[in-house]
Amino acid sequence: IMASGLVGRVVGTNPSRAARLIPSRWTSSKAVVGAKLKTFQIYRWNADSPGKPELQDYQLDLKDCGPMVLDALIKITNEMDPSLTFRRSCREGMCGSCAMNIDGCNGLACLTKIESESSKVTTITPLPHMFVIKDLVVDMTNFYNQYKSIEPWLKRKTPASVPGKEILQSKKDRAKLDGMYECILCACCSTSCPSYWWNPESYLGPAALLHANRWISDSRDEYTKERLEAINDEFKLYRCHTILNCARACPKGLNPGKQISHIKQLQK
Amino acid sequence: MGATKLSGMQKQVLSLYRGFLRAARSKPTTEDRKRIETVVSTEFRKNSKEVDRKNFQYIEYLLRLGHKQLDQLKSPDMVSISSVKIN
């Protein structure tokens, strides 16, 4: 039954007609006795088919599925609904591709465990207040442009003390970068910040500011004063009101709010 | 000339169209320029007929997509754009 539905959708010409063929509730094809069924409500929107975004129900047997939300999403895509679209890559919390909003909290799907209580419904939606391209895929260009705008590379005025060799850094200076270099640019923090929701184009957001602090605190970088002046702006930096949702959302356990307050301290 | 006042969204669409034509003018050969103009004009005219005027979500989505494609086209390395029709 599933296979014929699949063929009909791939070859079909009229996308709106195919959309009506999709039943509103999907169940795993293996209806085994003793299966632990859990319902997932996943945000669906396709630009080509008419209509508003909807939450579609999918039922999965948790005994037949891996522990993480990403495992559930992959299983749904492989077995039930191949049109479900989402980003994913490393499946181990290193790339930051699978960032999405799971049960109201931003996080990485590959690191978020499925709540084993099968009576509760898990709601999966894309990162909040971002333009949606399709289903769970959001437009990250503004986020990346803001990261680019802080010039995240080493800038020096004087050449290295030994030309062609590494610029040396003490262990103490290297320890200053801990808590900032681990950032994977997943955008969980920026998209959890209400201040970023209301001013996405002018406020840089916790992720970009964390990286700005990473370069400001780097002992090898010689443009510290210029970097601080570049972000010393009413909107770029001072939209932060220490809401600290960013620290709560970060899947790597970083604290962007702390780094932002460090920048504010350095600004005289 | 258009007697009725254009809505903000209509102005955005027209400015995007103008942006594409201006980008086309900066390309080296006349052939490239013509190709870009035909592709862009057919796309815009097709959408103006098929897309409902009130479907703001889809129009905004197309506008964002168009702006990204325009930014790509503006770079001097890009020579032309083409579109393929799949049935």
Side-chain angles (χ1 to χ4, degrees):
Chain A
I1 315 152
M2 296 285 164
S4 61
L6 261 157
V7 169
R9 212 168 314 119
V10 167
V11 176
T13 46
N14 191 343
S16 59
R17 202 160 57 112
R20 264 177 259 141
L21 289 170
I22 300 173
S24 58
R25 171 172 272 255
W26 290 81
T27 315
S28 182
S29 48
K30 303 179 200 159
V32 180
V33 179
K36 194 173 170 192
L37 290 177
K38 187 171 173 88
T39 311
F40 289 88
Q41 275 186 334
I42 304 182
Y43 181 102
R44 302 300 308 272
W45 182 68
N46 190 349
D48 297 324
S49 50
K52 304 246 168 206
E54 274 175 357
L55 286 175
Q56 205 166 64
D57 283 346
Y58 296 91
Q59 279 207 321
L60 267 187
D61 180 9
L62 291 185
K63 290 189 182 168
D64 202 32
C65 176
M68 303 300 184
V69 173
L70 185 66
D71 298 318
L73 285 170
I74 289 172
K75 197 169 155 80
I76 292 168
T77 316
N78 285 345
E79 291 174 20
M80 290 186 235
D81 185 1
S83 69
L84 178 63
T85 310
F86 54 94
R87 286 194 175 116
R88 83 285 176 269
S89 184
C90 69
R91 60 103 177 92
E92 58 185 3
M94 286 302 293
C95 67
S97 311
C98 56
M100 52 187 77
N101 189 302
I102 298 156
D103 280 329
C105 297
N106 287 352
L108 299 176
C110 56
L111 289 181
T112 312
K113 292 200 187 73
I114 304 171
E115 205 185 315
S116 48
E117 177 54 57
S118 49
S119 60
K120 294 209 181 111
V121 175
T122 299
T123 312
I124 302 173
T125 52
L127 290 173
H129 216 276
M130 294 279 241
F131 288 119
V132 177
I133 298 172
K134 189 179 175 189
D135 294 345
L136 299 169
V137 176
V138 295
D139 188 351
M140 301 277 280
T141 37
N142 183 35
F143 178 76
Y144 294 145
N145 284 337
Q146 284 166 334
Y147 175 60
K148 195 159 59 165
S149 73
I150 57 137
E151 298 191 340
W153 52 81
L154 194 66
K155 298 206 286 186
R156 282 185 71 89
K157 294 174 182 165
T158 60
S161 50
V162 182
K165 289 279 190 178
E166 303 92 334
I167 300 165
L168 297 177
Q169 187 178 51
S170 70
K171 274 198 181 163
K172 217 170 112 199
D173 284 333
R174 173 59 185 82
K176 287 188 194 152
L177 303 179
D178 287 336
M180 294 187 279
Y181 81 92
E182 300 99 327
C183 173
I184 54 175
L185 290 173
C186 62
C188 284
C189 58
S190 290
T191 45
S192 68
C193 175
S195 205
Y196 189 74
W197 294 341
W198 316 142
N199 302 295
E201 268 117 54
S202 35
Y203 178 40
L204 288 180
L209 290 171
L210 179 123
H211 280 276
N213 192 36
R214 179 249 175 278
W215 290 104
I216 289 166
S217 314
D218 196 330
S219 62
R220 300 167 294 173
D221 185 85
E222 288 171 345
Y223 275 75
T224 315
K225 194 159 139 296
E226 287 85 345
R227 285 182 191 275
L228 282 168
E229 274 167 25
I231 56 170
N232 191 14
D233 184 82
E234 173 74 48
F235 275 96
K236 285 193 189 143
L237 173 63
Y238 291 103
R239 282 306 96 197
C240 172
H241 302 303
T242 59
I243 298 168
L244 287 174
N245 240 12
C246 49
R248 196 156 169 250
C250 180
K252 305 293 280 181
L254 308 180
N255 191 342
K258 186 167 152 213
Q259 315 307 338
I260 295 172
S261 62
H262 184 255
I263 301 173
K264 287 180 186 170
Q265 276 181 339
L266 290 174
Q267 303 281 12
K268 280 180 188 85
Chain B
M1 289 304 279
T4 49
K5 202 162 164 226
L6 292 172
S7 79
M9 189 166 274
Q10 285 173 318
K11 285 189 199 152
Q12 279 185 321
V13 174
L14 287 173
S15 87
L16 181 65
Y17 186 64
R18 238 178 293 139
F20 267 110
L21 295 180
R22 283 193 191 131
R25 252 186 279 153
S26 66
K27 295 303 164 198
T29 48
T30 340
E31 198 189 296
D32 294 331
R33 254 173 259 163
K34 281 230 167 70
R35 199 179 306 141
I36 298 174
E37 280 169 19
T38 38
V39 168
V40 167
S41 65
T42 42
E43 182 77 30
F44 271 80
R45 282 180 208 283
K46 178 174 77 91
N47 278 334
S48 76
K49 289 203 178 66
E50 289 180 351
V51 179
D52 179 25
R53 289 174 85 237
K54 298 198 200 75
N55 193 355
F56 301 132
Q57 209 174 24
Y58 190 42
I59 296 173
E60 279 169 7
Y61 166 78
L62 289 171
L63 275 170
R64 264 177 270 135
L65 201 60
H67 272 111
K68 275 210 228 134
Q69 288 173 331
L70 179 58
D71 288 333
Q72 275 189 321
L73 189 62
K74 278 191 194 154
S75 117
D77 301 323
M78 289 279 278
V79 176
S80 85
I81 55 174
S82 66
S83 75
V84 183
K85 200 165 184 178
I86 307 169
N87 275 331

